[in-house]
Amino acid sequence: MISVPSAADMMSDKPPRRVLIVDDSRVLRAWLCAVLSSDPRLVIAGEAADAVAARDFLRGNPVDVITLDIEMPGMSGLEFLTRLMRARPTPVVMMSGLTSAGSDAAVQALSRGAVDCMVKPTGDYGDELTSDICDRVYHAACTRPARTKRPEAAVPVRTSAPAVFGAGGRICRRGSVFLIGASTGGVAALETVLPMLDPAGPPVVIVQHMPGNFLVSFSERLNRQLPQNVYLARENHILERGDIVLAPGDGQHTGIYRKNGGWMCRFLPNDPPALHCPSVDVLFMSAVSEAGNVTASLLTGLGRDGANGLLELSRAGARTIGQNEGTCVVYGMPRAAYAIGAVQRELPLDKIGPEMRDTRRRTARSLRPSGNART
């Protein structure tokens, strides 16, 4: 579990956050030093070329956040992260390549307690992306990870095959659908919420801000962990009961629509270009015309993607849920939604899955309080 400081703590006038850069590439260390040093909220506390050097540095030098390479000689970044979270919990931003192995390791790292994961640069970054990197490292430094008492359990292996696409007889014709948006901290959050849903319940469509290769690895991981059928969205694919669908990171947005009594996915162009693609707002807005059948949840994440879409869903009759500040890795997206009155129920992470599951048995009137409600 990860807790975060209050809004007042994050906005108070504090010294710059101390960063330790761990990477076996001297070039990448120099690049990160230059980028992060340009932000007055951050200061470089030190550099390390491998996990052993990082461990030795941490023994005598407190830091607020670590940027950590996944693929290093000797002790890997993933092994170092696991040991670190047991012995000296520290916010970590993983640096990963876009290889299949790198993506798998990145998703494991996010599940094991890393706050965020960024793709290693392959070319020049513009000012906007440089600012995004600094923001993500800074906000990671503002979190307070809790000690991990034991290693991550092995991912269970499915004992039965997932449902076959188009097998028939499982189309969700009652109309209910669950929508979820998440960003920073979303991997661990989703791995908490999704197991609490009914395996034969309404289909779930998710936008998780993450590079495309990471989403492939994440969907495969979830498909091994859960009894539901988990896969990346496909154009005009009919959603069936128990399906969990992730929007792919392929430069298009994912939306949903009703046809012949069922829900289907469709891809939408990123025009004009949005800050996030896929976008939570685009997914939420695509379902406004059928809002009475929708339960939408906005989980941990930096920024405000999803806030406006959640508001429009709420106004149109959907049930809307936001993750509370105390259980968010970054209380950004849910905060923005709560501030504009889009959140009908604000709940701790471990209460969101049961709330979504139980809304199938409630009417919109019985669920919706007067204004925002926090639990």
Side-chain angles (χ1 to χ4, degrees):
M1 293 295 294
I2 298 176
S3 60
V4 297
S6 66
D9 289 337
M10 290 181 67
M11 297 178 66
S12 62
D13 185 16
K14 290 187 175 182
R17 307 286 173 159
R18 292 168 52 83
V19 185
L20 171 63
I21 298 172
V22 185
D23 199 291
D24 63 328
S25 167
R26 184 182 304 223
V27 172
L28 187 64
R29 293 201 307 271
W31 179 83
L32 277 172
C33 277
V35 169
L36 299 178
S37 296
S38 68
D39 191 316
R41 300 172 297 176
L42 302 169
V43 61
I44 306 303
E47 302 176 37
D50 56 44
V52 173
R55 180 197 62 195
D56 293 343
F57 180 89
L58 289 171
R59 285 172 175 164
N61 300 277
V63 302
D64 299 301
V65 63
I66 299 170
T67 67
L68 178 61
D69 185 17
I70 286 181
E71 300 168 337
M72 294 188 296
M75 186 190 304
S76 72
L78 192 60
E79 182 182 354
F80 177 68
L81 171 71
T82 303
R83 296 185 181 189
L84 179 73
M85 298 307 290
R86 292 203 303 266
R88 188 194 299 267
T90 306
V92 172
V93 177
M94 304 300 293
M95 301 295 295
S96 170
L98 274 177
T99 64
S100 177
S103 298
D104 289 344
V107 172
Q108 288 188 56
L110 292 167
S111 181
R112 294 187 190 194
V115 175
D116 203 352
C117 188
M118 296 186 294
V119 178
K120 287 187 176 183
T122 56
D124 292 334
Y125 272 76
D127 291 341
E128 183 176 326
L129 286 177
T130 296
S131 176
D132 179 62
I133 291 169
C134 292
D135 282 343
R136 289 164 68 175
V137 171
Y138 173 74
H139 283 282
C142 292
T143 65
R144 292 192 295 265
R147 187 181 306 274
T148 300
K149 294 182 180 179
R150 53 185 176 273
E152 181 192 60
V155 176
V157 177
R158 296 182 84 129
T159 57
S160 60
V164 177
F165 292 132
R170 301 179 65 245
I171 297 174
C172 186
R173 296 193 183 280
R174 293 185 179 180
S176 297
V177 66
F178 293 155
L179 306 180
I180 303 177
S183 186
T184 310
V187 167
L190 288 167
E191 289 186 348
T192 298
V193 171
L194 296 178
M196 298 181 184
L197 301 182
D198 181 357
V204 184
V205 185
I206 300 167
V207 167
Q208 163 68 53
H209 295 161
M210 191 181 287
N213 280 26
F214 292 5
L215 286 164
V216 172
S217 295
F218 187 37
S219 66
E220 292 172 349
R221 176 183 173 87
L222 290 175
N223 201 44
R224 293 192 299 269
Q225 289 179 321
L226 301 172
Q228 294 96 321
N229 191 33
V230 185
Y231 56 94
L232 296 182
R234 304 167 71 181
E235 180 78 20
N236 297 323
H237 178 69
I238 299 175
L239 303 181
E240 300 180 342
R241 294 193 302 274
D243 282 358
I244 296 177
V245 182
L246 278 76
D250 58 0
Q252 300 180 93
H253 298 291
T254 296
I256 60 172
Y257 68 101
R258 290 291 295 279
K259 184 176 181 180
N260 298 328
W263 288 99
M264 302 182 75
C265 289
R266 65 179 173 188
F267 295 142
L268 304 166
N270 186 26
D271 185 22
L275 178 60
H276 299 288
C277 185
S279 164
V280 183
D281 272 325
V282 171
L283 173 64
F284 286 178
M285 292 294 293
S286 71
V288 167
S289 63
E290 296 281 348
N293 296 308
V294 174
T295 298
S297 297
L298 196 56
L299 307 183
T300 175
L302 179 63
R304 58 172 297 111
D305 186 26
N308 292 334
L310 198 70
L311 179 62
E312 292 304 313
L313 280 173
S314 179
R315 287 173 171 172
R319 280 72 71 195
T320 62
I321 302 166
Q323 186 177 346
N324 73 350
E325 182 174 5
T327 60
C328 279
V329 173
V330 178
Y331 185 57
M333 289 158 50
R335 181 203 297 276
Y338 190 89
I340 61 176
V343 176
Q344 296 165 8
R345 298 292 302 276
E346 187 176 74
L347 300 169
L349 182 63
D350 63 352
K351 303 296 184 184
I352 291 176
E355 180 71 19
M356 293 177 66
R357 185 184 62 226
D358 292 345
T359 56
R360 294 182 64 202
R361 306 181 185 95
R362 302 177 185 175
T363 64
R365 177 175 296 179
S366 66
L367 172 66
R368 185 179 302 162
S370 176
N372 291 346
R374 280 179 165 152
T375 300

